[in-house]
Amino acid sequence: MQRKLGFISFLVIIGTLILFVSSSLRHLLFNSNALDLALFDQWVYLISQYLPPISSFFGFHVIGDHAAFILYPISLLYKIYPSEYWLFLVQALGLAFGCLPIYLLSLQAGLSIAYSRAISLSYLLYPALFNSNFFTDFRPESIAVPALLWAIWAAIEKCTYQLFLAIGLVLICKDSLSLTVIGFGVWLLLQNRRVYGLGCILIGLFWYIFTIGYLTPFLRGGQAGGVVFYASLGSSPKEIIINVFSNPNLILGKFLSPDALFYYFLLLLPVIIGLHWKQILFIIPALPMLLLNIFSDYAAQRDLAHHYSLPIFPFIIVWLIHSIKEYQQENKRRWLKPKILIISAILSFLVLAKYNFFVTRYLSNLPNLHSLYTAVSLVQTKESVLTTAKIAPHLAKRQTIKLINQEWKLEKDNEIFKYILLDLINNKPEFNPDLIYQLRNSSSFKLVYEADDVYLFVRV
């Protein structure tokens, strides 16, 4: 067994390294964003310091975001050393670790070691995995990806404790994943795992009602997070659910819209060469999040660049596993060898992965990169900061950090900030350039650094 797992261990290590270096490099080039990296970095830092984890960006408690209780154990890493790179490492390890349950699920289905390794590599090369890591900073649900896969393996093996431990880990990553757990329970019922199925459905329903129905709205002082993306369906989760069942024409229109159809194509393309329609039931647990993405007014939920496909694609890989087994039993597609799966996965990655963003987007700060680092280094206390979205992730470990905007007025808001750090080259839309002149002539602030259109002001 050790020899069999050696290749998968190698994949996990290499995958973790590539994902970690990619996200870290993006951050080093000042192309991470306030939302989401600075947001999560501030929350985790405040938890680690036993300070109230209230976001100065949004003004509410960390659990009011999406009930991501997983951030509390992650904060233990910040006690070793407070650094946002822990978030990159946790995300990279979580995503890469999914290779292991994929490999075990393949063996469990009766596939050979060669096929199991090929499918594990196909998982790592799935474009949404790389893109979500390289494009959207950090998301707690990345940890749920291997947990979901582990839950499938545990359910089939009838490992009760492992199953519900995995389900618990999924739920504390994000409140809306309770819908995935409910969908997983439905799939288990269809697989004649009635006790497991009913358990997952009941746990998922409870967590949905508790978090989305009560906890997060209470902590936010309003609706649960993400409701704004479904304004065409209603202004609350209850209205949205009612409209889903009472307005079939609206739902059908969204389900069959051109961008929805193209989204289905993008999701299936990386593994479509090996999918068998008879095993399509394996994507049932993915349907709740797929429908959320389809029904959303926010188009970014229907691409492979953002993180919204993370709870979907693992089940597509599981569908692939059992499709290969189905073809073998039918003695069909004998040409579909492990090498073909690997070649297909590589080609899909080359076409759909956003590695080109490194050149087309992430090198934009090179002209004043040294000046940005110098200015950040001069913010030497944990006092309040006003800055731009690309600088904020480098200064988020404090109780008060906010983003400047076009409405910000010097005479109205300057009293709450110790530092104002602005980058005029890369963030022109974020604030009025005349603000630099006003700050220069203000008696409340002193210009302590200026180079390459990077300005750092300190309140006197």
Side-chain angles (χ1 to χ4, degrees):
M1 179 59 73
Q2 290 180 349
R3 185 179 301 175
K4 292 178 181 179
L5 291 179
F7 177 78
I8 299 304
S9 300
F10 173 76
L11 279 187
V12 171
I13 293 171
I14 294 299
T16 299
L17 182 62
I18 292 174
L19 295 173
F20 175 71
V21 170
S22 298
S23 55
S24 298
L25 187 57
R26 177 183 185 234
H27 180 60
L28 289 168
L29 291 170
F30 273 76
N31 269 284
S32 50
N33 285 286
L35 308 179
D36 297 311
L37 182 57
L39 179 68
F40 286 112
D41 185 36
Q42 183 188 39
W43 270 329
V44 176
Y45 171 76
L46 293 175
I47 293 171
S48 72
Q49 300 298 307
Y50 303 107
L51 295 170
I54 306 296
S55 166
S56 59
F57 298 107
F58 291 150
F60 55 73
H61 193 278
V62 57
I63 302 303
D65 183 38
H66 286 291
F69 289 93
I70 190 67
L71 296 178
Y72 280 85
I74 290 176
S75 71
L76 297 176
L77 297 172
Y78 274 53
K79 290 184 176 296
I80 300 172
Y81 183 79
S83 172
E84 62 273 22
Y85 290 95
W86 285 119
L87 301 182
F88 297 146
L89 181 60
V90 167
Q91 176 165 272
L93 181 59
L95 292 173
F97 190 76
C99 284
L100 178 57
I102 285 292
Y103 180 74
L104 295 177
L105 281 164
S106 300
L107 294 178
Q108 186 184 62
L111 298 182
S112 67
I113 291 177
Y115 275 107
S116 300
R117 289 175 173 177
I119 295 173
S120 298
L121 185 57
S122 298
Y123 161 86
L124 262 190
L125 289 171
Y126 193 90
L129 185 150
F130 178 84
N131 293 347
S132 64
N133 179 81
F134 194 44
F135 184 64
T136 55
D137 294 325
F138 169 78
R139 298 297 307 182
E141 53 264 44
S142 61
I143 304 167
V145 170
L148 286 168
L149 294 168
W150 199 270
I152 298 173
W153 178 89
I156 296 174
E157 288 291 319
K158 298 183 180 179
C159 297
T160 305
Y161 293 114
Q162 292 188 49
L163 168 63
F164 288 105
L165 182 63
I167 291 300
L169 181 57
V170 170
L171 291 174
I172 64 173
C173 289
K174 190 174 184 179
D175 50 10
S176 60
L177 289 176
S178 56
L179 297 174
T180 300
V181 172
I182 293 171
F184 182 55
V186 172
W187 176 79
L188 288 172
L189 288 178
L190 296 175
Q191 298 297 313
N192 292 318
R193 298 286 196 274
R194 293 183 178 85
V195 175
Y196 290 167
L198 288 174
C200 288
I201 291 173
L202 292 175
I203 291 171
L205 281 173
F206 167 78
W207 198 250
Y208 179 88
I209 294 170
F210 174 65
T211 58
I212 296 178
Y214 169 73
L215 185 61
T216 55
F218 173 75
L219 293 174
R220 293 171 71 100
Q223 294 292 346
V227 173
V228 66
F229 295 151
Y230 302 90
S232 62
L233 293 176
S235 58
S236 69
K238 181 179 179 180
E239 287 184 16
I240 293 170
I241 293 173
I242 291 174
N243 277 322
V244 165
F245 290 100
S246 64
N247 197 340
N249 290 332
L250 175 62
I251 299 307
L252 187 62
K254 287 179 174 288
F255 196 77
L256 297 178
S257 66
D259 64 329
L261 295 175
F262 187 61
Y263 180 48
Y264 307 146
F265 172 73
L266 290 177
L267 285 171
L268 299 180
L269 181 61
V271 294
I272 197 169
I273 192 173
L275 296 180
H276 196 302
W277 66 271
K278 286 185 178 180
Q279 299 299 326
I280 197 172
L281 291 182
F282 277 94
I283 66 166
I284 285 178
L287 291 181
M289 301 309 295
L290 177 64
L291 293 176
L292 282 180
N293 291 346
I294 296 304
F295 295 160
S296 174
D297 302 329
Y298 184 41
Q301 289 188 227
R302 294 179 292 278
D303 62 36
L304 297 190
H306 294 77
H307 61 278
Y308 299 102
S309 298
L310 282 178
I312 298 172
F313 86 87
F315 299 103
I316 296 177
I317 302 296
V318 177
W319 181 13
L320 173 66
I321 292 172
H322 289 269
S323 293
I324 299 297
K325 183 62 178 178
E326 184 73 27
Y327 284 123
Q328 290 179 350
Q329 292 175 342
E330 295 177 347
N331 198 27
K332 294 181 179 179
R333 294 199 186 183
R334 286 179 290 179
W335 52 266
L336 192 58
K337 304 297 183 182
K339 288 183 180 180
I340 300 298
L341 288 174
I342 293 173
I343 292 172
S344 176
I346 292 173
L347 291 176
S348 298
F349 181 86
L350 292 175
V351 172
L352 297 176
K354 302 301 182 183
Y355 52 85
N356 60 301
F357 281 4
F358 177 77
V359 175
T360 60
R361 299 190 182 195
Y362 297 160
L363 296 179
S364 61
N365 286 322
L366 280 181
N368 63 351
L369 191 62
H370 174 74
S371 301
L372 287 168
Y373 274 107
T374 302
V376 167
S377 69
L378 294 174
V379 180
Q380 298 179 343
T381 72
K382 295 296 184 182
E383 296 178 84
S384 55
V385 171
L386 177 70
T387 190
T388 58
K390 294 295 181 65
I391 298 176
H394 296 263
L395 292 169
K397 296 172 190 64
R398 62 193 68 244
Q399 284 190 284
T400 302
I401 179 171
K402 292 192 175 183
L403 301 181
I404 197 167
N405 55 50
Q406 291 283 357
E407 287 72 41
W408 193 84
K409 296 291 190 297
L410 174 63
E411 65 275 8
K412 178 182 178 183
D413 298 319
N414 73 80
E415 68 275 1
I416 69 170
F417 297 107
K418 175 66 175 180
Y419 301 96
I420 299 180
L421 176 52
L422 304 174
D423 174 11
L424 192 59
I425 291 181
N426 297 302
N427 295 280
K428 290 181 181 180
E430 293 188 43
F431 61 93
N432 189 337
D434 292 339
L435 182 60
I436 302 294
Y437 174 79
Q438 298 172 23
L439 287 166
R440 280 180 179 274
N441 292 280
S442 171
S443 59
S444 301
F445 286 90
K446 176 183 178 181
L447 178 64
V448 296
Y449 181 77
E450 174 188 357
D452 301 320
D453 283 328
V454 176
Y455 299 87
L456 175 61
F457 297 90
V458 179
R459 182 157 54 90
V460 295

